[in-house]
C-alpha cells in the first residue's frame, strides 16, 4: 500500500499536481503515522540508497549504513543489496522490539525499491509473534485432542473387557477350562485377557501378529 501510494504521488508530480518535495513530505508523513497489527504497533519505514532513514516511527538514527544487529549483519546495506539484485525480497535480521530499543528480536521483513526517488520501502514481522500465535492456536486443539483420545481409550478398554468376559463365559459353558487357552490361542480374533484391574494377563498369537506385540 505504501509503495502504491508513493507511485501514485510520483505520477502526480509528473503531471504537475505536486512538487516533488511536497509529494515526498506527504508519503513520509503517512508512513510515520501508519500503525497496524493487534497492538497497533506494526509499521512501515523508508530509507534511501545511501542508508539514510527517511521515515520510521521508532528510530531517530539519521544514517544506518554502519548499524549492525547482534549477529554482526549490517542490516540496511543488506536490504539495499536485496533491492539492487532482485528489486524486492525478504531479509532476516535482528531489530529492536517495536518501541523498545533495549530489546532485540529476530525479524523478517519485505523490502521493495522505489527507483524514481531512490527509496527502499519495507515492513516486517517478528518471528516471536508468529510462534506465540501458533502456540495460542494449537494449545486448545491439543488439549481437546488429548481429552478425545482419553475417551476413545476408555471406550475401547471397556468394550474389549466386555468381549473377553463374554467369550470366557461362553467357553466355560461348552468346554472344560483346560481347553480355554487352546481355543483363545487359535482364535482368528485379536484377544487380550485382563484381570479386574485392567492388567493384561494374556494376548493371543493373532493379537501379536496384528499389532506387533
Amino acid at each position: 500500500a505504501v509503495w502504491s501510494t508513493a507511485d501514485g504521488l510520483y505520477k502526480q508530480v509528473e503531471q504537475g499536481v505536486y512538487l516533488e518535495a511536497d509529494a515526498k513530505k506527504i508519503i513520509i508523513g503517512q508512513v510515520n503515522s501508519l500503525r497496524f497489527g493487534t497492538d497497533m504497533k506494526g509499521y512501515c519505514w523508508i530509507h534511501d540508497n545511501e542508508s539514510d532513514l527517511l521515515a520510521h516511527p521508532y528510530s531517530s538514527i539519521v544514517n544506518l549504513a554502519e548499524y549492525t544487529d547482534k549477529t554482526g549483519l549490517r542490516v540496511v546495506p543488506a536490504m539495499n543489496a536485496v533491492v539492487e539484485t532482485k528489486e524486492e525480497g525478504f531479509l532476516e535480521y535482528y531489530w529492536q522490539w517495536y518501541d523498545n530499543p533495549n530489546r532485540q528480536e529476530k525479524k523478517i521483513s519485505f523490502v521493495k525499491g522505489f527507483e524514481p526517488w531512490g527509496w527502499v520501502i519495507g515492513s516486517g514481522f517478528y518471528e516471536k509473534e508468529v510462534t506465540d500465535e501458533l502456540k495460542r492456536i494449537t494449545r486448545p486443539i491439543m488439549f481437546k485432542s488429548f481429552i478425545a483420545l482419553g475417551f476413545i481409550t476408555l471406550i475401547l478398554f471397556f468394550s474389549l473387557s466386555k468381549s473377553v468376559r463374554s467369550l470366557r463365559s461362553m467357553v466355560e459353558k461348552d468346554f472344560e477350562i483346560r481347553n480355554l487357552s487352546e481355543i483363545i490361542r487359535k482364535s482368528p480374533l485379536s484377544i487380550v485377557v485382563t484381570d479386574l484391574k485392567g492388567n493384561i494377563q494374556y494376548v493371543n498369537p493373532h493379537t501379536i501378529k496384528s499389532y506387533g506385540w
Side-chain angles (χ1 to χ4, degrees):
V2 174
W3 193 96
S4 298
T5 302
D7 186 55
L9 285 169
Y10 172 73
K11 290 177 180 177
Q12 292 184 66
V13 169
E14 288 188 315
Q15 296 167 2
V17 178
Y18 291 107
L19 295 175
E20 182 174 309
D22 292 334
K24 288 180 177 179
K25 286 181 181 178
I26 292 172
I27 189 66
I28 287 173
Q30 290 180 355
V31 169
N32 280 328
S33 61
L34 178 65
R35 300 291 186 280
F36 51 86
T38 305
D39 298 325
M40 297 304 293
K41 288 187 175 183
Y43 62 92
C44 297
W45 77 89
I46 301 173
H47 66 266
D48 63 19
N49 294 336
E50 303 299 322
S51 299
D52 288 330
L53 193 59
L54 305 177
H56 193 294
Y58 303 130
S59 179
S60 59
I61 301 174
V62 177
N63 185 277
L64 292 165
E66 300 301 323
Y67 173 82
T68 58
D69 68 5
K70 65 182 184 179
T71 69
L73 176 68
R74 294 171 63 202
V75 176
V76 175
M79 292 178 178
N80 291 345
V82 170
V83 170
E84 288 172 7
T85 56
K86 299 186 294 185
E87 296 185 357
E88 61 183 48
F90 290 91
L91 182 71
E92 294 184 13
Y93 58 96
Y94 284 84
W95 193 261
Q96 74 174 52
W97 178 262
Y98 294 114
D99 54 353
N100 184 354
N102 299 317
R103 175 184 175 186
Q104 281 198 1
E105 293 287 346
K106 190 174 184 180
K107 190 171 186 178
I108 302 170
S109 292
F110 177 78
V111 291
K112 183 173 183 177
F114 187 68
E115 191 273 334
W117 291 341
W119 285 2
V120 175
I121 300 172
S123 183
F125 59 89
Y126 293 94
E127 186 178 73
K128 186 179 186 303
E129 290 178 309
V130 177
T131 55
D132 287 349
E133 182 65 12
L134 286 174
K135 289 178 182 178
R136 185 188 69 80
I137 294 173
T138 58
R139 188 177 294 114
I141 296 175
M142 292 179 63
F143 178 72
K144 291 177 181 178
S145 297
F146 280 126
I147 292 177
L149 181 61
F151 277 121
I152 292 172
T153 302
L154 286 174
I155 291 171
L156 290 175
F157 172 76
F158 285 118
S159 297
L160 183 60
S161 297
K162 183 178 180 181
S163 298
V164 172
R165 287 195 298 270
S166 298
L167 179 62
R168 179 183 296 172
S169 176
M170 181 183 66
V171 171
E172 287 177 347
K173 290 178 181 180
D174 297 333
F175 302 96
E176 295 181 358
I177 294 299
R178 64 177 181 271
N179 295 323
L180 179 60
S181 62
E182 184 66 13
I183 293 170
I184 294 176
R185 188 181 67 81
K186 293 181 178 181
S187 174
L189 301 175
S190 294
I191 298 175
V192 179
V193 180
T194 68
D195 60 20
L196 294 178
K197 294 182 179 180
N199 298 313
I200 295 175
Q201 302 297 313
Y202 174 82
V203 294
N204 70 341
H206 183 78
T207 301
I208 296 173
K209 182 179 180 181
S210 299
Y211 299 100
W213 289 5

